[in-house]
Amino acid sequence: MSDVNRNGFVDMHCHSTASDGTLSPAQVVRLAKDSGLSALALTDHDTAAGVGEAASAAAPLGLDFLPGIEISCEYPHPGTMHLLGYGIDPGSPVLRDLTARLIAGRDNRNPKIVARLNELGVSITMDEVEAESGGIVVGRPHIAAILVRKGYVNSIRHAFDKYLGTTGLAYFDKERLTARQAIELVRQSGGLPVLAHPIQLRTTNDAELDRVLKELVDLGLVGVEVIHSDQDRSTVERYGKLAEKYNLLKTGGSDFHGANKRDISLGLANGRRVPREWFDALRDAVQRGDRHTPAP
Ligand code: AMP
Ligand code: ZN
Ligand code: FE
Ligand code: FE
């Protein structure tokens, strides 16, 4: 790898049309290059279907690439826990079973949302939702985009506030894995598990976050997403210290979704950029097959 490549900034958390982003995997890669990034990880929800296309697009551009995935885990309301899996083998049978199960959870939930919306007088069909998603992983942002287009709400955010978010009129949860299951399955798929956007756990104090993180580390977590669009400067500093305390890898990304999250630009997370060294350390760990397995 050239020295030029190892300089600069990266994005380790973004979504494509393989899940609920609006740019194709190749378009996300192109945008990363045009934005001056030197490396990218694609982390679609519940699927690795986009990583082959992204890897093929990245190679000729000299952009370094890591395959990834983002999985929602069980966690007490009103928090949410998402786990990132980096370096997963897209051909792994464990990964195939895992993603099939996660997508089945969505396929059970989405018709319930649509039926409730219909009861509320909103005209929307599953056919429309599937067409909007253009793929296999159908998420709430796809439903939100239809509600915006039809004029029921004036923004994606408004769609979540009124209908789709946890306190919305048409909210239904989907089947989730426990953190233990998600961590184990990511590892069995050849990947390394990292806690996404810890801010979304909505822990009420540092001691509680410390406790949750300690449990995850004991289960095999190897990293924590220190930089993220939802995390401000002081939060980034606190999470950086926590990562060091538990000898965890630091990761960071924008959580770019294209037009489904208009306020987020690829490579920028709440005004911050993610250093190249973090990508290199993660990729080195993936290549070592690093497991950071704590003593039993
Ligand atoms: P799903 O995977 O179908 O449960 O939907 C989760 C997606 O919806 C993720 O991309 C979230 O970032 C997005 N999302 C969740 N809550 C909101 C919100 N209040 N406003 C906008 N997007 C949201
Ligand atoms: Zn998403
Ligand atoms: Fe997330
Ligand atoms: Fe995400």
Side-chain angles (χ1 to χ4, degrees):
M1 184 193 326
S2 76
D3 286 344
V4 174
N5 259 348
R6 295 191 82 93
N7 292 331
F9 298 100
V10 305
D11 197 321
M12 303 158 86
H13 186 159
C14 60
H15 299 264
S16 75
T17 48
S19 66
D20 56 3
T22 58
L23 298 188
S24 70
Q27 287 171 326
V28 176
V29 164
R30 183 76 242 178
L31 179 61
K33 183 71 184 174
D34 291 345
S35 306
L37 302 181
S38 72
L40 184 79
L42 183 68
T43 54
D44 275 305
H45 301 281
D46 300 353
T47 186
V51 302
E53 179 185 319
S56 301
L61 297 176
L63 188 90
D64 289 310
F65 179 76
L66 255 187
I69 191 168
E70 183 175 20
I71 299 169
S72 309
C73 299
E74 280 180 17
Y75 194 75
H77 186 75
T80 54
M81 181 186 283
H82 290 176
L83 191 81
L84 295 160
Y86 289 106
I88 38 149
D89 168 10
S92 150
V94 175
L95 185 71
R96 201 174 51 234
D97 289 352
L98 168 63
T99 55
R101 179 172 170 187
L102 296 169
I103 289 164
R106 290 175 178 277
D107 292 346
N108 281 329
R109 176 200 63 176
N110 293 329
K112 294 185 206 164
I113 298 177
V114 167
R116 176 62 54 80
L117 286 170
N118 292 160
E119 285 165 19
L120 293 165
V122 174
S123 163
I124 184 169
T125 65
M126 272 309 295
D127 282 350
E128 288 172 317
V129 173
E130 274 155 24
E132 178 70 29
S133 84
I136 296 166
V137 176
V138 182
R140 285 176 290 164
H142 299 123
I143 301 175
I146 295 171
L147 298 182
V148 172
R149 202 165 54 239
K150 291 191 167 184
Y152 289 106
V153 289
N154 50 36
S155 66
I156 299 251
R157 178 155 303 278
H158 186 198
F160 273 87
D161 288 347
K162 184 166 182 190
Y163 294 113
L164 304 171
T166 48
T167 56
L169 295 168
Y171 177 73
F172 290 91
D173 204 357
K174 58 184 184 291
E175 192 205 331
R176 289 162 194 270
L177 300 180
T178 63
R180 177 190 295 272
Q181 289 171 320
I183 286 172
E184 278 175 4
L185 291 170
V186 162
R187 294 171 64 168
Q188 287 169 18
S189 304
L192 293 180
V194 169
L195 177 64
H197 42 61
I199 192 81
Q200 291 184 14
L201 297 172
R202 299 217 210 174
T203 47
T204 47
N205 56 58
D206 278 0
E208 189 187 349
L209 176 57
D210 209 293
R211 214 161 39 239
V212 173
L213 202 59
K214 170 83 170 62
E215 276 177 32
L216 295 174
V217 169
D218 287 344
L219 294 171
L221 192 81
V222 306
V224 58
E225 191 171 49
V226 170
I227 293 179
H228 181 271
S229 291
D230 290 349
Q231 293 166 186
D232 65 14
R233 176 178 301 279
S234 69
T235 308
V236 168
E237 277 173 24
R238 277 194 300 133
Y239 293 171
K241 286 187 186 130
L242 261 181
E244 282 159 21
K245 174 173 174 181
Y246 289 106
N247 196 23
L248 292 167
L249 294 165
K250 297 177 196 174
T251 72
S254 62
D255 214 348
F256 175 79
H257 281 70
N260 279 341
K261 287 195 182 175
R262 290 189 180 279
D263 49 339
I264 296 179
S265 302
L266 193 68
L268 259 190
N270 202 338
R272 263 164 295 278
R273 295 187 179 277
V274 180
R276 170 73 203 209
E277 301 82 68
W278 293 9
F279 179 91
D280 288 335
L282 176 63
R283 191 174 57 178
D284 288 352
V286 164
Q287 282 169 355
R288 282 197 309 270
D290 206 342
R291 288 299 178 256
H292 281 257
T293 310

